[in-house]
Amino acid sequence: MSNGTVIVGACQAGFQIAASLREKGYGERILLIGEESYAPYQRPPLSKAYMTGDPSIEKLLLRAPGFYEMNKIEFVSGERITEVDLRGGRVVSAGGTAFSFDHLALATGCAARKLPLPGGDLPGVMTLRDIPDALEMRERLHAAENVVVIGGGFIGLESAAVAAKLGKKAVVLEAMDRLLARVVAPPMSDFYAAAHARRGVTVVLNARIERIEGDANGVRGVRMQDGSLLPADLVVVGIGGVARTELAQQVGIECSNGILVDDRARTSIAEVVAAGDVATHRDLYGRATRLESVQNAIDQAKTAAASILGLEEHYTAVPWFWSDQADLKLQITGLSTGYDNFVVRGVPDSESFSLLYYAGDRLIAVDSVGKPADHLAARRILAAGVAVPKDVAADLAVPLKSLLG
Ligand SMILES: Cc1cc2nc3c(=O)[nH]c(=O)nc-3n(C[C@H](O)[C@H](O)[C@H](O)COP(=O)(O)OP(=O)(O)OC[C@H]3O[C@@H](n4cnc5c(N)ncnc54)[C@H](O)[C@@H]3O)c2cc1C
């Protein structure tokens, strides 16, 4: 009897591998194993609408529970896999249960990086990755007066915007000299600093933190290296994610800031596939890239499912991403890493503009704030490799989609 496929990690990518296997006609057993106690769910709302809106979990779920039974996907929750035995074709959970497989997929995602400073583990110093974090943060946020966010990246800024919306005193501490420095160009960083300030968030750049102060009853404040103390009853730490490569490393699968996969989502042991936040692939420009995005999790998972089926599909999708900060919707497509010039399309202060990134004359990425038409056109332009002359990029009178012919 065939043992089918075991998928370790039951969230966006793991779910998609299972669903795509069935869609593509896979007839064998599928076991989707996750350590969390929830069925696969969406994380993006956790730092956005979920903080202020309806707290029910059902709306976060990717599919209603009946989906798994209907598609003969055996979903096992609350089991953390701690051991992979490739030769024996089985994985073993912390509780000692063994699950046999013919094919193995790793979709173990990433974990929030913890604050490596004294006081980083005090009650009320939180990272935000999963539903239990979100439930705790919701409660603390509503009770808090002063919220300090450490890290001016997407999750940090979204959390600060939520805090400000709830009328809390919100301060963002960013170690670099601008917000979102790793992912956007200076005009976008400057725009977000100003836009958050307009909405009541205090943004501190070049922030130097000494330690977090408090006691067993909770956090009291953030002590800066200049001796000042920022009062805080909640500290949200948003300083990035760490790929959960432990299982892959255990069996000698090559890893470097993630599990290395080829454009068919195969690891260095070709029978094992990996997808989503845990996987590092060669991007459209040949660079090793690990993306933490819903689009990447879904598209790479589809490729992984194809590889399990022995189909030759290559992962070439143009990346896209979004971030909702207060009433501002940022949409990003392409990868701006390596840009050497850019064009601003529109006026940032109008809170509706795009930023087009070029490597020489080649368009490589577009960030749009409140400009969904630019974003949608840019996705198609990048996929088709259509040239966008810079004078046209800057001209609001020319819709980007007109370049698509
Ligand atoms: C607060 C927040 C906001 C976000 N906002 C956006 C956004 O606006 N736009 C966007 O595109 N992306 C956003 N993301 C990123 C997006 O949610 C992730 O890219 C996506 O969830 C990746 O899916 P994944 O399945 O690869 O990993 P994960 O979602 O991390 O899932 C991995 C799963 O594997 C489980 N697991 C790990 N190890 C084991 C083990 N040994 N045994 C069993 N189970 C295991 C984990 O518990 C987890 O459930 C956000 C993420 C967070 C946390």
Side-chain angles (χ1 to χ4, degrees):
M1 195 191 109
S2 156
N3 289 315
T5 295
V6 161
I7 304 164
V8 182
C11 209
Q12 193 81 57
F15 159 79
Q16 191 63 52
I17 295 172
S20 294
L21 277 172
R22 283 291 179 250
E23 271 163 31
K24 291 173 194 281
Y26 187 71
E28 312 295 332
R29 186 175 186 207
I30 301 176
L31 261 167
L32 176 61
I33 306 173
E35 69 185 351
E36 296 191 64
S37 45
Y38 302 98
Y41 61 91
Q42 319 166 55
R43 296 188 197 278
L46 300 183
S47 50
K48 308 178 181 72
Y50 186 73
M51 278 297 139
T52 50
D54 180 355
S56 64
I57 307 287
E58 286 69 35
K59 286 200 186 127
L60 298 173
L61 299 181
L62 289 172
R63 290 292 185 279
F67 172 88
Y68 301 93
E69 212 182 304
M70 212 161 71
N71 288 280
K72 296 199 167 55
I73 295 169
E74 295 169 46
F75 167 54
V76 181
S77 62
E79 290 276 12
R80 187 160 59 87
I81 299 302
T82 51
E83 194 190 322
V84 176
D85 171 7
L86 280 182
R87 200 170 290 182
R90 51 180 222 148
V91 294
V92 184
S93 75
T97 311
F99 304 92
S100 297
F101 63 80
D102 295 323
H103 295 278
L104 176 64
L106 298 174
T108 45
C110 69
R113 195 183 295 278
K114 301 280 178 209
L115 188 68
L117 284 176
D121 51 1
L122 284 170
V125 181
M126 298 198 55
T127 52
L128 178 56
R129 182 74 201 169
D130 54 24
I131 288 177
D133 292 341
L135 289 171
E136 183 184 339
M137 188 165 140
R138 240 184 100 99
E139 207 175 302
R140 289 187 182 274
L141 193 54
H142 287 262
E145 207 174 307
N146 293 294
V147 179
V148 173
V149 173
I150 299 181
F154 292 119
I155 291 180
L157 293 176
E158 289 175 359
S159 305
V162 166
K165 186 178 172 189
L166 289 171
K168 314 298 171 182
K169 206 160 167 283
V171 179
V172 174
L173 300 178
E174 166 55 53
M176 312 253 302
D177 60 359
R178 59 188 182 91
L179 298 176
L180 299 166
R182 282 187 304 121
V183 278
V184 301
M188 192 57 81
S189 301
D190 297 346
F191 164 74
Y192 270 104
H196 281 291
R198 282 194 288 276
R199 287 163 177 77
V201 175
T202 303
V203 175
V204 180
L205 302 174
N206 300 305
R208 297 286 171 265
I209 302 169
E210 178 79 30
R211 60 178 182 274
I212 312 296
E213 295 195 353
D215 54 30
N217 295 318
V219 58
R220 260 196 316 273
V222 178
R223 180 72 65 187
M224 307 303 289
Q225 287 181 8
D226 66 7
S228 60
L229 181 77
L230 284 170
D233 16 53
L234 170 63
V235 173
V236 180
V237 178
I239 54 171
V242 184
R244 297 188 58 182
T245 55
E246 316 83 74
L247 294 176
Q249 282 177 308
Q250 200 187 88
V251 290
I253 289 174
E254 264 180 67
C255 295
S256 171
N257 177 33
I259 302 175
L260 296 178
V261 295
D262 66 8
D263 67 350
R264 293 177 61 192
R266 296 174 304 187
T267 68
S268 60
I269 294 179
E271 309 78 65
V272 182
V273 295
D277 282 13
V278 77
T280 295
H281 68 285
R282 296 248 162 238
D283 66 21
L284 299 172
Y285 312 106
R287 299 166 306 209
T289 299
R290 189 174 69 78
L291 296 173
E292 293 178 17
S293 76
V294 168
Q295 170 275 323
N296 176 67
I298 293 175
D299 288 335
Q300 204 169 37
K302 289 179 181 172
T303 306
S307 286
I308 291 170
L309 281 155
L311 304 170
E312 194 172 328
E313 281 181 22
H314 299 267
Y315 178 39
T316 53
V318 174
W320 58 268
F321 181 82
W322 78 95
S323 170
D324 297 332
Q325 298 170 36
D327 52 330
L328 301 166
K329 182 174 264 310
L330 170 65
Q331 292 169 295
I332 296 180
T333 183
L335 293 172
S336 60
T337 322
Y339 75 91
D340 52 29
N341 65 104
F342 55 77
V343 171
V344 181
R345 178 178 164 83
V347 181
D349 278 349
S350 69
E351 302 200 334
S352 170
F353 71 106
S354 294
L355 192 55
L356 289 83
Y357 297 81
Y358 289 83
D361 287 328
R362 186 167 56 122
L363 181 71
I364 56 170
V366 179
D367 300 344
S368 304
V369 175
K371 279 246 175 240
D374 276 7
H375 173 71
L376 289 175
R379 272 164 64 174
R380 292 174 57 202
I381 284 171
L382 288 170
V386 172
V388 180
K390 289 173 200 165
D391 55 337
V392 173
D395 187 352
L396 281 178
V398 184
L400 290 183
K401 80 167 183 214
S402 68
L403 299 169
L404 285 157

